[in-house]
Amino acid sequence: MGKNALYLVVLVFCLFGLSFCGKPKKPDYIDFQNLRLKKAGFDQAVITFDLRYFNPNKFHVQLRKAEVDIYFNNKFLGNSTLDTVIDIPKRDTFSVPVSMQIKLKDAFSNAVQLLLNPNVMVKLNGNARVSKGAITMNVPITYEGMKRIDLLGRDSASLK
């Protein structure tokens, strides 16, 4: 059997196997937790938090890279890039740590709005690179929904 024929057989088996697995489902966004002010300067600050998701698939994958833009009440808050490998278990909840720089003048205007109304429209837009063995694919990250962020400490997502 020639080299090209061997590649063709492997390709057919891979495609045949993928047809039985079905199309992978996107992880379900649950919430974000542990919002913290990590570092503050004169004009910028670094905040960190964990995005929690549920993997509905029957298989585990690895998150290889992610980049996401984050908006509060349709105002751009910041961008975060993750370049650490995270193992995502099958049919289980997992967390993705996020760290991002924000401009303090934008943060203060958002903080005043949060004191008046702690319910915020959170919007996430970006892309992630996931892999299962040798197969790697890009997956869009999209979420939009209301989240309560109580800066006075009455909610688990408050600043610490």
Side-chain angles (χ1 to χ4, degrees):
M1 187 185 280
K3 210 178 205 182
N4 290 339
L6 181 61
Y7 288 135
L8 182 60
V9 169
V10 169
L11 179 64
V12 168
F13 274 113
C14 287
L15 292 174
F16 187 76
L18 287 175
S19 68
F20 280 105
C21 294
K23 185 177 180 184
K25 298 174 190 155
K26 275 182 29 176
D28 299 321
Y29 173 82
I30 297 173
D31 63 5
F32 68 92
Q33 298 179 329
N34 305 321
L35 179 62
R36 296 177 300 281
L37 178 63
K38 190 169 184 175
K39 184 170 47 168
F42 289 109
D43 60 343
Q44 290 190 350
V46 175
I47 61 170
T48 62
F49 53 93
D50 299 319
L51 292 174
R52 289 189 337 126
Y53 290 90
F54 177 78
N55 179 11
N57 296 295
K58 297 177 185 179
F59 50 86
H60 79 280
V61 294
Q62 288 184 323
L63 174 63
R64 298 242 171 230
K65 186 176 182 179
E67 187 167 328
V68 64
D69 292 332
I70 302 166
Y71 299 83
F72 277 13
N73 292 330
N74 293 319
K75 291 182 184 174
F76 180 72
L77 185 62
N79 175 282
S80 179
T81 301
L82 175 75
D83 57 4
T84 304
V85 176
I86 296 176
D87 287 318
I88 299 173
K90 63 182 178 180
R91 292 189 175 163
D92 202 357
T93 301
F94 64 98
S95 294
V96 177
V98 175
S99 177
M100 61 186 249
Q101 285 189 340
I102 59 171
K103 293 180 182 175
L104 285 180
K105 71 173 189 157
D106 297 337
F108 286 129
S109 69
N110 280 326
V112 170
Q113 288 179 348
L114 288 174
L115 289 172
L116 298 173
N117 182 8
N119 296 316
V120 176
M121 176 59 72
V122 176
K123 185 176 176 182
L124 308 173
N125 282 323
N127 287 297
R129 185 179 253 340
V130 295
S131 67
K132 172 74 174 145
I135 300 171
T136 301
M137 60 189 291
N138 289 323
V139 178
I141 299 171
T142 56
Y143 170 76
E144 189 169 332
M146 294 300 289
K147 174 70 178 166
R148 182 175 180 84
I149 303 175
D150 193 339
L151 292 180
L152 299 177
R154 295 181 296 249
D155 185 40
S156 62
S158 62
L159 284 171
K160 294 179 181 178

